[in-house]
Amino acid sequence: MRRFRFRLQKVLEYRALQEQWAKEAWLEARSLRFAAEMELERAIREKARAELILPANVEEMQALDLYLEKLSDDIEAHRAIVDTLLLEEERAHDEWAEARRNHEVLCRLRERAQKEWELAKGREEQKALDDWTNSRREAS
């Protein structure tokens, strides 16, 4: 009997690649979100530090107010970026989960096909042994 050959092997390999690509995309989206969150935390810390500054005169107070306003705008922009990156990360995770399910389905199909092949091989070998045994009996 021929050796086992899964007829959808190329599709299985492609699905494995798709799963790997989707996982890498999710990990990349996750790392981008982490970096954006760190930048947001940095801006929040900088604003907290700047709020502790006591201006000596009116010009310094105006400059500090402008700086605090800029930091507030930066914080809001970073929050928007983090929210967007979080949505992209969730979408990438969903795509990875779907790709993983698609790959697992083909893996189960391959396993089932291999078990069926092994059963057919066992039946064929048993039939050959039975035929050989019958031919020996008839010869005796």
Side-chain angles (χ1 to χ4, degrees):
M1 182 173 205
R2 297 183 317 193
R3 64 183 183 90
F4 175 72
R5 185 178 172 279
F6 184 52
R7 62 186 176 91
L8 297 174
Q9 186 63 37
K10 293 290 184 185
V11 176
L12 177 66
E13 291 168 2
Y14 183 68
R15 292 268 174 96
L17 278 175
Q18 284 180 319
E19 178 186 359
Q20 184 63 33
W21 294 333
K23 182 178 180 181
E24 289 170 1
W26 170 62
L27 291 173
E28 178 67 24
R30 188 174 172 187
S31 69
L32 287 174
R33 180 182 57 87
F34 285 154
E37 285 177 346
M38 291 185 69
E39 192 62 30
L40 173 63
E41 290 299 319
R42 186 205 53 79
I44 290 172
R45 282 193 309 273
E46 177 63 23
K47 183 179 179 190
R49 188 194 61 74
E51 288 173 339
L52 298 175
I53 295 174
L54 297 173
N57 56 39
V58 174
E59 288 100 24
E60 285 182 11
M61 183 180 291
Q62 289 173 335
L64 181 61
D65 284 342
L66 287 174
Y67 184 60
L68 289 173
E69 187 176 319
K70 178 193 174 302
L71 287 173
S72 293
D73 291 344
D74 286 349
I75 289 170
E76 289 307 310
H78 285 301
R79 283 191 175 126
I81 289 169
V82 167
D83 290 343
T84 301
L85 290 173
L86 183 61
L87 290 174
E88 288 179 12
E89 178 187 352
E90 289 171 353
R91 181 187 49 76
H93 185 269
D94 292 343
E95 289 175 2
W96 174 46
E98 180 68 23
R100 189 175 61 227
R101 278 190 298 275
N102 290 339
H103 180 234
E104 288 172 356
V105 165
L106 278 177
C107 285
R108 285 192 299 273
L109 280 174
R110 184 185 191 287
E111 289 170 5
R112 189 176 305 142
Q114 187 166 10
K115 285 179 184 175
E116 289 174 6
W117 177 83
E118 288 170 357
L119 285 172
K121 180 181 175 186
R123 283 191 297 266
E124 188 175 305
E125 288 174 353
Q126 187 61 46
K127 183 180 181 296
L129 281 174
D130 291 345
D131 290 346
W132 180 78
T133 304
N134 287 338
S135 67
R136 299 245 334 145
R137 281 188 194 151
E138 291 172 1
S140 301

